[in-house]
Amino acid sequence: MNLQRLLLILRARVWIVLFTLVVTVASAALVSYLLPKSYTANVQLVVDFKHSDPITGAGTAPHAQLLSGQMATQKDILLSHRVALKVVDSLQLDANPDAQEQFEKATEGRGSIRDWLADMLLKDVEVEPSADSSMINLSYTSTDPRFASAVANAFAQAYIKTSLELRIEPAREVAGWFNEQLKILRSNLETAQTKLSSYQQQNGIVATDERLDIENARLAELSTQLVTAQAQTQDTLSRQNQAQSSPDKGIALESLPEVIANPYIQGLKAELARQEARLSELSGVGKNHPQYQRALADIENMRKKINAEIINATGGIVNNAQLATQREAALKAMLAAQKARVLELRKQRDDISVLMRDVENAQRAYDTALQRFNETNMESQLSQTNVTLLTPAIEPIEPSHPKALLNVALAIFFGGLLGVGLALMTEMANRYIRSEEDVSEDLGLPVVGVLVKRQANVKAKKHPGKFIPGLERLLRAA
């Protein structure tokens, strides 16, 4: 079928097409008029996805690839049952008698009316996140425009509240955990401080104990004294050996340094020299003279006295050697005791250093946990969220459904198609010969002639040089 035949059929069946079109458009208009009107309230929300610290306020914007996933998450939160339950509670829909009656009819009293109402509200909510920004469009459709705007605003507020709860609930849990840990850390700190104080009291150690420095100085002094005493002991022992070995070696005791350095012995020797000089002067009176004998006796007594003093001096060398040895031994004992004392003090200082480190570590852990507790506690008490209500819903004036103009336009389009289809079906059911092509193509017969209207004959008379198209074809066929 070509276009010409189609146009001929539609021309012949134009009333069917028109009737079908009129009926379709009228039906669409009637249905649009009879359908209940529904109103859609729209809300616009802005979500700030900056990862900011609630305490310091510093933050960075998320990566662009993460924005779409975060917007999808926000959409799921908006359409969650938790948000819908908050809407039911905020509008007190479960206390509405009509809602209770509908719930009884729909569920026969099974389940919770709050959950049922939340599910019913979610059926009429639409959420469309923006693809290129952090804008979220929320719409709610209802037959009551005031109810539609109220529910849309309630969804926005419930979403904001839920976002805040999702943000502060983990912070509250963390703050509670840190609060429990603070009790343990405080107990550990108190235990460490108690151990440190008890150890200081038991050993008489103060916070700024300087005993180790004093004892070290005393140890150094004893070491110096011991070195000096050892030198003195070696010297006295050497003199003692010299004094004891002098007779065996034929060395006179008078040549010993102790004897030579003794002023008393030297004084006695000087007196002995004077007496010997006097004795020489008395040699002229004779050896039997009483004065000579007296002088000789005085000299003998002086020599005995000198020898006694020499013996005493050499005996002092032995005593000095014994005293030096005893002093050296005493200093060694004192040095050993002082070393033990210093080592004990060092051990005590090491122990107290360990205890002080335990206290410092416990204090540091407690301070860190306290700081984190304060931060999370402040974060759990935040009243601001990253969601902002940009445009609240207002009561819609025009209904969103049904759309009469759109329905009529669609009815015209589909009604025209339906009319054309009915015309073609009617033509197929009752065929007519409407052109010479129908004869030659459908019947398979040659066209002998074509009857034309009178207007065509008149036209031919006016123009005798031209043939009528039908007549031309007839002549060609003959």
Side-chain angles (χ1 to χ4, degrees):
M1 180 181 296
N2 54 25
L3 180 60
Q4 183 180 4
R5 295 178 66 183
L6 178 61
L7 293 176
L8 290 175
I9 293 173
L10 293 179
R11 181 179 179 182
R13 306 289 184 179
V14 65
W15 295 109
I16 296 177
V17 177
L18 293 177
F19 178 78
T20 304
L21 180 61
V22 171
V23 170
T24 304
V25 173
S27 300
L30 181 61
V31 170
S32 300
Y33 178 76
L34 294 178
L35 284 176
K37 294 180 176 60
S38 57
Y39 298 85
T40 301
N42 298 310
V43 173
Q44 288 183 334
L45 299 164
V46 178
V47 184
D48 184 10
F49 289 109
K50 290 182 179 179
H51 302 287
S52 59
D53 190 338
I55 308 303
T56 62
T60 57
H63 197 273
Q65 296 179 352
L66 301 177
L67 184 60
S68 60
Q70 291 177 341
M71 293 297 290
T73 302
Q74 300 305 314
K75 177 181 179 181
D76 294 338
I77 294 175
L78 259 171
L79 297 177
S80 64
H81 192 73
R82 179 175 178 175
V83 174
L85 286 175
K86 291 184 182 299
V87 174
V88 173
D89 295 337
S90 63
L91 298 178
Q92 298 181 352
L93 299 179
D94 52 342
N96 192 321
D98 295 335
Q100 294 176 356
E101 183 179 356
Q102 293 178 5
F103 171 72
E104 293 293 336
K105 290 181 180 179
T107 63
E108 296 180 356
R110 296 190 301 270
S112 172
I113 186 173
R114 292 177 66 252
D115 296 329
W116 180 79
L117 288 172
D119 294 335
M120 295 299 294
L121 290 176
L122 290 174
K123 293 180 180 179
D124 297 325
V125 176
E126 293 184 1
V127 177
E128 295 181 0
S130 177
D132 300 328
S133 65
S134 57
M135 185 84 67
I136 298 178
N137 297 318
L138 182 144
S139 61
Y140 182 80
T141 303
S142 175
T143 56
D144 186 358
R146 181 175 299 177
F147 181 75
S149 61
V151 172
N153 289 324
F155 261 98
Q157 295 299 329
Y159 167 63
I160 294 174
K161 185 181 295 185
T162 302
S163 299
L164 182 60
E165 291 176 354
L166 293 177
R167 187 175 184 182
I168 65 177
E169 282 179 359
R172 287 178 180 175
E173 294 179 0
V174 173
W177 183 82
F178 271 112
N179 190 22
E180 296 297 328
Q181 293 300 313
L182 280 175
K183 297 179 181 178
I184 299 175
L185 294 174
R186 188 184 300 111
S187 177
N188 295 338
L189 177 59
E190 293 174 353
T191 302
Q193 290 176 342
T194 302
K195 289 182 179 179
L196 177 61
S197 300
S198 300
Y199 189 84
Q200 289 177 336
Q201 292 176 0
Q202 291 175 1
N203 296 277
I205 301 174
V206 294
T208 57
D209 190 15
E210 299 177 353
R211 291 183 302 166
L212 183 59
D213 298 333
I214 297 174
E215 298 298 336
N216 282 328
R218 186 176 298 173
L219 178 63
E221 182 181 356
L222 287 175
S223 299
T224 303
Q225 291 178 4
L226 177 61
V227 171
T228 304
Q230 288 176 345
Q232 291 177 356
T233 302
Q234 292 296 329
D235 184 53
T236 55
L237 288 176
S238 176
R239 292 178 183 179
Q240 180 183 359
N241 293 331
Q242 184 180 1
Q244 291 177 351
S245 62
S246 294
D248 297 334
K249 295 179 179 180
I251 301 174
L253 294 177
E254 296 178 358
S255 61
L256 293 176
E258 286 77 5
V259 175
I260 297 175
N262 194 325
Y264 184 67
I265 295 176
Q266 296 302 322
L268 293 177
K269 285 184 176 183
E271 183 65 25
L272 177 62
R274 286 193 301 270
Q275 290 180 2
E276 288 179 349
R278 183 182 177 189
L279 181 63
S280 297
E281 293 176 355
L282 295 175
S283 60
V285 297
K287 296 181 179 180
N288 294 322
H289 193 275
Q291 292 182 352
Y292 184 86
Q293 291 294 326
R294 189 179 302 110
L296 184 62
D298 292 336
I299 291 172
E300 187 66 24
N301 291 332
M302 185 60 65
R303 287 178 178 175
K304 289 180 180 180
K305 192 173 182 180
I306 291 173
N307 290 332
E309 292 297 330
I310 291 173
I311 293 173
N312 291 333
T314 55
I317 295 174
V318 176
N319 293 332
N320 290 335
Q322 293 178 353
L323 292 175
T325 303
Q326 294 175 358
R327 178 175 174 75
E328 180 183 356
L331 287 174
K332 286 183 178 179
M334 294 174 62
L335 182 63
Q338 187 64 23
K339 286 182 178 180
R341 178 62 178 166
V342 170
L343 292 176
E344 180 64 22
L345 288 176
R346 288 180 178 177
K347 180 179 179 301
Q348 292 177 1
R349 177 166 288 188
D350 292 339
D351 293 340
I352 200 170
S353 297
V354 173
L355 294 176
M356 290 178 68
R357 281 196 298 270
D358 292 340
V359 173
E360 291 175 358
N361 293 333
Q363 184 69 48
R364 190 180 300 109
Y366 178 77
D367 293 339
T368 303
L370 182 61
Q371 181 180 0
R372 291 287 296 128
F373 169 74
N374 292 331
E375 292 176 357
T376 53
N377 190 35
M378 291 179 64
E379 187 175 356
S380 65
Q381 297 177 3
L382 288 177
S383 59
Q384 296 179 352
T385 181
N386 61 337
V387 181
T388 304
L389 179 60
L390 180 62
T391 305
I394 59 175
E395 184 177 344
I397 299 175
E398 298 294 333
S400 58
H401 296 90
K403 298 180 179 179
L405 294 178
L406 178 61
N407 293 340
V408 170
L410 293 176
I412 292 173
F413 176 73
F414 289 106
L417 292 179
L418 181 61
V420 172
L422 290 177
L424 293 177
M425 292 177 62
T426 304
E427 183 68 20
M428 294 298 136
N430 187 10
R431 295 295 303 276
Y432 283 87
I433 301 299
R434 301 188 184 280
S435 64
E436 57 272 22
E437 286 81 1
D438 294 344
V439 176
S440 60
E441 293 180 5
D442 296 342
L443 300 179
L445 298 175
V447 177
V448 178
V450 177
L451 297 177
V452 297
K453 293 182 180 181
R454 185 173 179 82
Q455 294 177 356
N457 294 331
V458 174
K459 185 176 181 181
K461 290 180 181 180
K462 291 181 179 180
H463 304 280
K466 294 184 179 180
F467 290 93
I468 300 175
L471 181 58
E472 183 180 359
R473 286 194 295 271
L474 180 61
L475 292 175
R476 290 180 180 176

